[in-house]
Amino acid sequence: MDPKQIIEKIREKQSNIKSVIFVGCGASKADLYPAKYFLDENAKNLRTNHFTANEFNYATPAAVDDTAIVITASLGGNTPETVQATAKAKELGAHVISLTRSVGSPIANNANYVIYHRFAESYSAKLEKMGYALELAVEILNQYEGYEYYKDMKTGFSKIFDLADKAAKSAIVDAKKFAQEYKDAPIIYVMSSGATHEVAYSTSICLMMEMQWINSGTFHSGEFFHGPFEIVDRDVPFILLMNDGRTRKIDSRALTFLQRFKAKTTVVDALDYGLSSVVPKTVVDYFNPMLITAVFRVYAEELSYARQHALTKRRYMWKLEY
Amino acid sequence: MDPKQIIEKIREKQSNIKSVIFVGCGASKADLYPAKYFLDENAKNLRTNHFTANEFNYATPAAVDDTAIVITASLGGNTPETVQATAKAKELGAHVISLTRSVGSPIANNANYVIYHRFAESYSAKLEKMGYALELAVEILNQYEGYEYYKDMKTGFSKIFDLADKAAKSAIVDAKKFAQEYKDAPIIYVMSSGATHEVAYSTSICLMMEMQWINSGTFHSGEFFHGPFEIVDRDVPFILLMNDGRTRKIDSRALTFLQRFKAKTTVVDALDYGLSSVVPKTVVDYFNPMLITAVFRVYAEELSYARQHALTKRRYMWKLEY
């Protein structure tokens, strides 16, 4: 079933949905953030929560019952904490939708509804998880509260995947330059704002720390001026993921500061890849994360080649019980 | 007015509150997190959001109207972004409550209701901002939805300040040991879970990056296993803020891993300071952040002495326009 049909089905069963709760771990948690942010920004009645799965398991919120839609995500469908959260949410009567690429996986078997997405096939395939989560959020809002820019979001979804693939392909020269400049960096900070906040987060904790064993920190670019900016000095390495849309001014202010004090700064800017020329301005904010994720993937790949450290290399994950 | 009276006043004006929106910057944003977490965990109808102030200003959520309570915080009462958010929320008809220590400050002048708290007087005075925010959340939940453990929360509030002062005083020996061991650390990671998640965050971005110019990263201890733990190696420095309550198992699992691979690990554990012996177990989760904040302040002070780098020393803040 597609997102629209799933929410229609849920609506047949329950006309009074109060909460939409997003649950995942690591990159699969971060990929749910644009959907959560969309509801935070636009809903007037619907509650939203966003939990790492064991937080949900050990401190299950009181709102999890048949008035809640719980959306869980796990790429391989077997992340133990997320599988458990999916089962728990269903047991408590919630309407559970899971996103995974793995047919017949434990998460798929525990959910009421499953959306299968692709991942390895292309740059845009890697965005399908994030895209389906956002589409679910849009359907929930539109069907339960109404949403003025529903058609504009549909236009955005019809354009973003092609744009992301094109953008990724055009980013290779800049990505190679980035890789050469950052390959020996002892630490790399990553920041963004708006819907892209947790793309910065997953770039830091997954692409840098997990996949490259590079020290990293991350924060909202609006928070930069309330603490982190005191670390800025000549050549301290930053990555700024710049949004095209309402929070661009927040990112721009951070860029001005980084340049003023000659920090080592790499910018990945949705504006450079023409986001608002294909996505309506009314909804452009919500498509930044997908475009920037696709482009930065190329940066991460080039960094891995320059450092001769494959993105799939692990010390602990997949190797040990923990 | 105290938190109970403020919410009674708002209730006289508006019986249909849908959203509770927390807005601040840096440490003042993080200090609102336990209140937000309390509502995330316990509310069945009330929406909650938590924004850094410029996110609120540039991408103001649709829910900000006379059905929203907006709670803003600024220690000195003059953080420009938060002052602007306070004014904007009021202009849109929200019921605005501000927390500050500064009588007659811009934030106080822009709000409908002001709670003045202390700060510099003692370790427990530094917790008043966080405490009042949590008390407001409890009053909102109790008055609008009802809350089963209201009396237990009252007991907790009557005990936590004394306990925190006592705990801080008893922490000095351990804090000096920490300072000696970490004073030359090139990076320090900080993690926690539950209501204490953003104490880890403010420890990282404020106490480490802002006040000590030490590189730092932070994440939820449940997220540790989904990316960041690949950075662990012998002697990589971590601070783990351990909760007494439902999410303790998440923190414990991280500790087991850190010890197994001989990371340089400092634990500040609410259990060691007797939290659940004075706060009812039904609500103990929500008092961890206050206790741990008080204790870790002593650690930060000792670190600043060992490094001969005052906690008040800045390169940019208070010195430049930016």
Side-chain angles (χ1 to χ4, degrees), chain A:
Chain A
M1 272 187 289
D2 71 12
K4 184 162 187 276
Q5 290 173 316
I6 290 173
I7 306 306
E8 283 168 353
K9 274 273 177 210
I10 292 173
R11 214 166 147 230
E12 282 168 24
K13 292 185 184 158
Q14 176 57 280
S15 60
N16 181 31
I17 289 293
K18 296 177 181 178
S19 300
V20 185
I21 302 175
F22 298 93
V23 181
C25 291
S28 284
K29 171 182 171 285
D31 281 349
L32 300 171
Y33 184 78
K36 183 249 197 266
Y37 179 84
F38 172 83
L39 287 172
D40 278 350
E41 288 292 305
N42 294 293
K44 294 188 168 186
N45 298 309
L46 288 161
R47 303 176 67 255
T48 50
N49 295 134
H50 186 210
F51 293 110
T52 187
N54 260 349
E55 184 75 55
F56 182 92
N57 294 328
Y58 290 119
T60 311
V64 184
D65 59 23
D66 67 351
T67 65
I69 294 173
V70 175
I71 298 172
T72 68
S74 164
L75 187 59
N78 53 4
T79 311
E81 300 95 315
T82 313
V83 172
Q84 190 188 334
T86 304
K88 184 154 205 172
K90 195 173 163 192
E91 184 192 310
L92 291 167
H95 309 268
V96 185
I97 308 166
S98 292
L99 304 171
T100 180
R101 67 162 165 178
S102 185
V103 179
S105 58
I107 200 179
N109 296 335
N110 279 333
N112 298 110
Y113 309 91
V114 185
I115 296 178
Y116 293 107
H117 56 80
R118 299 178 307 149
F119 189 79
E121 292 80 351
S122 63
Y123 290 108
S124 64
K126 292 194 205 327
L127 310 174
E128 288 185 6
K129 184 180 10 168
M130 196 186 270
Y132 279 126
L134 180 58
E135 223 178 318
L136 284 166
V138 173
E139 285 300 333
I140 293 168
L141 184 66
N142 193 50
Q143 294 191 35
Y144 282 93
E145 294 192 20
Y147 176 52
E148 190 180 357
Y149 301 114
Y150 180 78
K151 279 189 184 163
D152 292 346
M153 287 296 294
K154 285 281 182 194
T155 304
F157 284 119
S158 75
K159 305 282 188 184
I160 189 67
F161 294 97
D162 282 353
L163 179 68
D165 271 328
K166 229 174 11 183
K169 272 175 205 130
S170 76
I172 292 177
V173 172
D174 285 345
K176 282 186 193 298
K177 191 170 156 251
F178 161 79
Q180 286 308 316
E181 285 173 357
Y182 283 66
K183 67 183 166 57
D184 301 315
I187 183 163
I188 300 177
Y189 290 106
V190 195
M191 59 179 161
S192 190
S193 68
T196 315
H197 176 37
E198 291 208 2
V199 177
Y201 170 75
S202 64
T203 299
S204 174
I205 70 154
C206 297
L207 293 173
M208 297 298 145
M209 296 182 74
E210 174 185 344
M211 302 186 187
Q212 288 296 300
W213 310 351
I214 295 174
N215 285 303
S216 185
T218 180
F219 28 81
H220 190 287
S221 49
E223 288 281 277
F224 176 59
F225 293 98
H226 299 279
F229 80 148
E230 286 284 335
I231 210 78
V232 169
D233 206 346
R234 179 184 283 269
D235 296 331
V236 175
F238 276 81
I239 297 165
L240 177 61
L241 309 178
M242 284 187 75
N243 290 272
D244 187 358
R246 291 182 298 171
T247 64
R248 182 172 187 80
K249 282 186 184 168
I250 303 176
D251 303 329
S252 298
R253 184 180 171 213
L255 178 59
T256 300
F257 191 90
L258 290 170
Q259 290 179 335
R260 178 173 170 195
F261 293 98
K262 300 185 169 43
K264 184 193 280 276
T265 305
T266 289
V267 171
V268 174
D269 186 350
L271 200 69
D272 290 342
Y273 298 96
L275 184 63
S276 55
S277 65
V278 301
V279 171
K281 284 208 188 334
T282 48
V283 298
V284 71
D285 297 46
Y286 310 113
F287 291 94
N288 285 283
M290 294 173 75
L291 180 59
I292 290 172
T293 295
V295 171
F296 197 82
R297 182 76 192 187
V298 182
Y299 281 60
E301 287 170 356
E302 291 299 332
L303 187 63
S304 78
Y305 307 147
R307 300 180 76 239
Q308 303 193 327
H309 182 122
L311 291 171
T312 48
K313 190 172 170 183
R314 299 290 184 278
R315 291 191 247 232
Y316 311 118
M317 197 179 278
W318 312 322
K319 300 201 168 161
L320 304 170
E321 296 286 323
Y322 45 84

Side-chain angles (χ1 to χ4, degrees), chain B residues 174-185:
Chain B
D174 285 345
K176 282 185 193 298
K177 188 168 158 254
F178 160 79
Q180 285 308 316
E181 286 174 357
Y182 283 65
K183 68 183 166 56
D184 302 314

Side-chain angles (χ1 to χ4, degrees), chain B residues 181-188 214-215 235 237 264 303 307:
Chain B
E181 286 174 357
Y182 283 65
K183 68 183 166 56
D184 302 314
I187 184 163
I188 301 177
I214 295 174
N215 285 304
D235 297 330
K264 184 193 279 276
L303 187 64
R307 300 180 75 241

